[in-house]
Amino acid sequence: MFRTLTSVRFLIKGPIILAMLFVVNLITSPHHWWVQWAALGIGIAWIFALIRVIQAVILVGGLAALIALLRKK
C-alpha cells in the first residue's frame, strides 16, 4: 500500500522535477543538453511507477467486482 502511494506521488513529482531540471539546463548551459540523461532515468522510473499504480487499480477493481458478485447472490 505504501509503495503504491509513493508511486502515485512520483507520477506527479517526476514531471515537475524534470521541468525544473530543464529550466536549469536552459539557463546554465543551453548548448549542452545534459537534461536528456535525467529525463531518461526519470522516465524509466516513471514507467515502473505507472505500472505499479495500474496493477493496484486492477487489483482493487477486481476485488470490488468480486464483492459485488458475491453480494448479488
Side-chain angles (χ1 to χ4, degrees), residues 18-62:
L18 191 56
M20 289 188 310
L21 287 174
F22 176 75
V23 170
V24 168
N25 189 171
L26 192 63
I27 292 170
T28 59
S29 56
H31 300 293
H32 179 67
W33 290 101
W34 52 262
V35 74
Q36 65 186 349
W37 303 112
L40 178 65
I42 290 174
I44 291 170
W46 196 86
I47 288 173
F48 282 123
L50 180 64
I51 290 171
R52 185 176 291 132
V53 170
I54 289 173
Q55 285 177 342
V57 167
I58 289 172
L59 177 68
V60 169

